[in-house]
C-alpha cells in the first residue's frame, strides 16, 4: 500500500498514481490510498505511524544536512531528539551516532565526512527511496531581477528592481 495526501501538494494524488503505475510496469503491485491531508497525516504521521510507503514533502528551513538527517532519517524516539518525520520507520543506530556527532563537530572537513557517511549508510540500507522532486514555479517580470538559485531558495538580497 501507498498512502498519499490528495489536497496538500501540487498534483499530489496524480503524482502518487503515476508512481503506482510506474511500479506496476516492473511487477510491483501498489494499492494507493489517497486521503485529505488531515487524515493522511493522522495515519502516516507521528500520531500513528501506520504507513511505510508514502508521499512526504520536505522543505528544510536551511540548506544544512543536519535538519534533514535528524527529522527524516534519525530513528524515531520518545526523548524528542528527532525522527518525528521518519514516517517509514527506518532506524540505524550508527547513523544516529553520526547525526549526534554532526551537530557538535566544528571542523568543516570532518563534519562533511560524517554527513557523507550518514548518507552513504542510508543509501546502502535503502532506508529511503526518493521518487519525486517537486518543481518550483517561478513568475517573471521585466521590472524585477532575481538570482534563480539551483536549490530554489529565494534570498531577498539577490532580488532587485530594474
Amino acid at each position: 500500500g501507498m498512502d498519499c495526501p490528495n489536497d496538500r501538494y501540487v498534483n499530489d494524488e496524480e503524482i502518487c498514481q503515476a508512481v503506482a503505475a510506474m511500479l506496476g510496469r516492473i511487477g510491483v503491485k501498489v494499492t494507493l490510498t489517497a486521503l485529505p491531508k488531515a487524515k493522511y497525516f493522522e495515519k502516516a504521521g507521528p500520531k500513528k505511524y501506520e504507513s511505510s510507503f508514502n508521499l512526504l514533502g520536505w522543505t528544510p528551513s536551511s540548506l544544512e544536512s543536519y535538519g534533514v538527517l535528524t527529522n527524516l532519517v534519525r530513528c524515531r524516539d520518545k526523548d524528542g531528539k528527532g525522527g518525528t518525520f521518519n514516517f517509514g520507520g527506518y532506524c540505524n543506530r550508527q547513523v544516529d551516532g553520526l547525526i549526534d556527532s554532526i551537530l557538535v563537530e566544528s571542523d568543516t572537513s570532518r563534519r562533511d565526512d560524517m554527513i557523507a557517511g550518514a548518507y552513504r549508510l542510508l543509501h546502502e540500507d535503502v532506508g529511503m527511496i526518493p521518487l519525486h522532486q517537486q518543481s518550483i514555479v517561478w513568475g517573471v517580470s521585466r521590472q524585477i531581477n532575481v538570482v534563480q538559485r539551483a536549490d530554489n531558495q529565494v534570498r531577498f538580497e539577490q532580488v532587485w528592481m530594474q
Side-chain angles (χ1 to χ4, degrees):
M2 178 181 186
D3 298 299
C4 183
N6 61 14
D7 61 353
R8 171 65 179 102
Y9 309 110
V10 176
N11 296 320
D12 46 10
E13 185 171 2
E14 291 83 358
I15 291 164
C16 292
Q17 289 170 346
V19 167
M22 289 178 202
L23 289 170
R25 288 181 178 175
I26 61 168
V28 178
K29 184 176 190 259
V30 175
T31 303
L32 179 62
T33 303
L35 301 164
K37 64 185 170 200
K39 291 185 184 259
Y40 165 78
F41 283 106
E42 181 179 334
K43 178 183 181 183
K47 287 185 180 180
K48 296 183 180 175
Y49 292 124
E50 291 180 349
S51 178
S52 62
F53 184 30
N54 48 64
L55 175 69
L56 176 64
W58 188 258
T59 302
S61 57
S62 72
L63 302 178
E64 169 56 39
S65 280
Y66 175 79
V68 172
L69 290 168
T70 198
N71 286 292
L72 298 177
V73 177
R74 178 186 288 282
C75 300
R76 296 190 299 231
D77 59 24
K78 294 180 180 20
D79 67 4
K81 286 178 79 175
T84 305
F85 296 95
N86 178 353
F87 287 5
Y90 169 75
C91 186
N92 181 323
R93 295 296 177 190
Q94 187 178 359
V95 172
D96 281 8
L98 284 168
I99 293 169
D100 292 339
S101 297
I102 288 164
L103 179 61
V104 297
E105 181 57 60
S106 60
D107 181 277
T108 305
S109 179
R110 287 179 48 191
R111 192 167 187 278
D112 286 347
D113 287 344
M114 289 180 208
I115 290 169
Y119 283 117
R120 188 170 30 261
L121 287 169
L122 175 66
H123 178 76
E124 289 169 0
D125 289 346
V126 193
M128 187 180 298
I129 306 172
L131 296 175
H132 168 69
Q133 177 68 43
Q134 183 71 49
S135 297
I136 306 278
V137 178
W138 287 77
V140 297
S141 168
R142 291 191 172 133
Q143 298 173 336
I144 299 174
N145 287 323
V146 178
V147 174
Q148 194 170 4
R149 296 166 45 109
D151 59 14
N152 288 314
Q153 296 285 319
V154 175
R155 302 285 188 199
F156 289 106
E157 66 271 11
Q158 296 176 326
V159 177
W160 65 95
M161 301 294 287
Q162 288 275 35

